[in-house]
């Protein structure tokens, strides 16, 4: 009798459909941006794993959803995985949400999805798409979006931060960085020093919220703007940088001739400066004369 019961339970378990893990995006500010599928999913699942249960409780309460909340953050993700597998094995559906936007995008969930995705048991992982600050910001930036790189948060320490910025300075694709209020001014200053004053940037602040603001200009102008008013440094930011444009050989020659002429013109009249520059660069004297005249003006 006991044996039969045990066998039945085991086969029932084996045949029992596994639950699904739903990766649910939530708004990045404006609660009106929640999707119908997100609400339906959060209502129907057995458990909701959340980065910060107090935050998610507020969201759920706003939408009249009860929800069995379980904490899943960077510090307990590894330990939670076995437990979540157990819940899924017993047929429970689970939703994963983060504090804002899409989970795993600079938010917890990577280890869980990686582990379930590579498990032989074929766990079902379903996305419930919605807001993410990166895509929201790119949609209004007006920078090339056919190719871009997502850099997330830069390291907090200056050595690590500068190393990445130096590596990225010649990156031809649009670059997208996340930044917090504590470090936005420092990051912009470091970029100005490494990328140069003229690089085009777009800073999106507090997207979809009451004080949404978008700054467009170059790094030198942005550095001034961010330090203009302490309010400009408040809130959440997406910083987008135009990719590096490789100069043609002609442009390189023109730029270096200009640099040389600027130095010579500090000491010499136009005619003499262009004559010396022609000897150094091998370019025609009259071309350099015209360039020297335009620099003088
Ligand atoms: N998972 C989120 C997503 O999908 O965008 C990102 C979470 S990450 C911990 C938080 C960062 O995202 C903020 O520091 C900021 O850089 C960016 N961010 C989130 N909401 C934003 C908003 N409303 N406006 C601008 N940036 C935002």
């Amino acid at each position: 009798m006991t044996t039969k019961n045990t066998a039945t339970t085991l086969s029932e378990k084996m045949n029992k459909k596994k639950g699904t893990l739903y990766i649910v995006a939530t708004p990045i500010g404006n609660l009106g941006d929640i999707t119908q599928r997100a609400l339906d999913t959060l209502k129907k699942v057995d458990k909701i794993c959340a980065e910060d249960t107090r935050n998610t409780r507020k969201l759920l309460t706003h939408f009249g959803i009860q929800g069995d909340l379980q904490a899943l953050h960077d510090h307990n993700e590894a330990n939670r995985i076995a437990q979540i597998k157990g819940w899924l094995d017993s047929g429970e559906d689970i939703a994963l949400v983060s504090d804002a936007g899409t989970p795993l995008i600079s938010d917890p969930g990577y280890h869980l999805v990686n582990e379930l995705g590579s498990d032989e048991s074929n766990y079902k992982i379903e996305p419930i798409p919605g807001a993410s600050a990166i895509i929201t910001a790119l949609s209004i930036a007006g920078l090339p979006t056919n190719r871009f790189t997502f850099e997330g948060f830069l390291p907090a320490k200056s050595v690590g931060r500068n190393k990445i910025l130096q590596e990225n300075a010649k990156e031809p694709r649009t670059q997208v960085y996340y930044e917090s209020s504590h470090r936005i001014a420092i990051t912009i200053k470091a970029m100005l020093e490494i990328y140069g004053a003229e690089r085009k940037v777009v800073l999106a602040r507090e997207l979809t919220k009451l004080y949404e603001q978008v700054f467009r200009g170059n790094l030198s102008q942005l550095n001034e703007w961010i330090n203009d008013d302490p309010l400009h440094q408040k809130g959440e930011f997406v910083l987008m940088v135009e990719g590096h444009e490789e100069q043609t050989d002609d442009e390189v020659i023109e730029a270096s001739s200009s640099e040389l002429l600027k130095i010579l013109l500090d000491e010499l009249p136009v005619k003499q400066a262009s004559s010396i520059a022609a000897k150094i660069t091998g370019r025609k004297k009259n071309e350099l004369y015209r360039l020297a005249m335009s620099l003088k003006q």
Side-chain angles (χ1 to χ4, degrees):
M1 189 72 178
T2 317
T3 320
K4 194 180 167 219
N5 265 352
T6 314
T8 313
T9 317
L10 200 67
S11 90
E12 264 174 8
K13 261 193 177 170
M14 285 176 76
N15 291 331
K16 194 163 189 180
K17 216 171 139 268
K18 277 197 176 55
T20 299
L21 174 69
Y22 295 95
I23 308 298
V24 183
T26 57
I28 56 167
N30 191 321
L31 294 184
D33 293 334
I34 192 110
T35 67
Q36 190 58 53
R37 277 188 80 208
L39 291 176
D40 294 344
T41 307
L42 293 173
K43 266 180 213 157
K44 78 170 186 191
V45 292
D46 299 288
K47 287 185 174 60
I48 301 170
C49 292
E51 186 184 4
D52 181 331
T53 51
R54 278 173 308 174
N55 255 341
T56 302
R57 176 63 67 205
K58 281 187 209 149
L59 180 84
L60 295 181
T61 305
H62 179 88
F63 290 107
I65 299 170
Q66 197 73 43
D68 176 0
L69 279 171
Q70 306 285 332
L72 183 132
H73 39 70
D74 284 337
H75 308 293
N76 75 349
E77 192 174 341
N79 297 333
R80 267 273 191 244
I81 293 174
Q83 201 174 17
I84 292 174
K85 274 186 184 174
W87 293 333
L88 293 168
D89 288 341
S90 67
E92 289 193 312
D93 288 324
I94 314 285
L96 174 70
V97 296
S98 60
D99 278 353
T102 303
L104 280 85
I105 307 301
S106 293
D107 266 340
Y110 160 73
H111 297 291
L112 174 65
V113 173
N114 180 37
E115 178 80 22
L116 293 189
S118 46
D119 195 293
E120 291 165 348
S121 323
N122 271 334
Y123 287 102
K124 194 160 174 234
I125 308 166
E126 213 174 286
I128 307 293
S132 187
I134 170 178
I135 301 301
T136 309
L138 278 171
S139 73
I140 48 95
L143 292 172
T145 50
N146 50 339
R147 297 177 78 208
F148 60 84
T149 70
F150 177 53
E151 300 293 327
F153 290 97
L154 283 163
K157 292 193 180 145
S158 65
V159 177
R161 180 173 57 235
N162 290 350
K163 184 172 176 282
I164 293 183
L165 290 179
Q166 265 145 10
E167 282 165 10
N168 290 350
K170 292 271 165 79
E171 166 59 58
R173 293 167 288 187
T174 298
Q175 298 154 44
V176 186
Y177 296 85
Y178 276 174
E179 202 43 280
S180 69
S181 55
H182 315 293
R183 287 206 292 268
I184 188 67
I186 298 171
T187 295
I188 291 170
K189 186 164 177 284
M191 269 187 191
L192 172 63
E193 282 161 11
I194 294 169
Y195 287 58
E198 299 301 326
R199 185 73 70 96
K200 196 169 157 189
V201 279
V202 179
L203 182 69
R205 169 176 174 256
E206 294 287 85
L207 286 164
T208 77
K209 302 187 203 175
L210 189 58
Y211 296 108
E212 177 178 293
Q213 209 169 17
V214 179
F215 178 92
R216 301 162 199 275
N218 66 28
L219 270 170
S220 162
Q221 294 161 335
L222 178 61
N223 189 49
E224 264 180 44
W225 182 84
I226 203 78
N227 291 299
D228 251 10
D229 181 344
L231 283 179
H232 292 168
Q233 297 182 25
K234 290 238 153 66
E236 299 189 282
F237 300 89
V238 181
L239 178 53
M240 292 159 286
V241 187
E242 189 176 49
H244 170 74
E245 225 176 274
E246 208 53 72
Q247 285 183 314
T248 61
D249 287 352
D250 285 351
E251 283 167 340
V252 172
I253 292 169
E254 191 70 5
S256 51
S257 303
S258 293
E259 285 309 305
L260 175 62
L261 277 171
K262 274 185 213 157
I263 297 165
L264 294 172
L265 284 169
D266 279 345
E267 311 290 335
L268 300 166
V270 172
K271 209 169 161 199
Q272 242 182 308
S274 36
S275 168
I276 294 174
K279 282 185 189 142
I280 296 173
T281 61
R283 290 182 66 186
K284 287 189 183 136
K285 211 193 297 183
N286 59 351
E287 273 178 19
L288 290 164
Y289 183 81
R290 274 199 298 275
L291 183 57
M293 287 299 285
S294 66
L295 288 172
K296 207 67 182 159
Q297 279 157 19

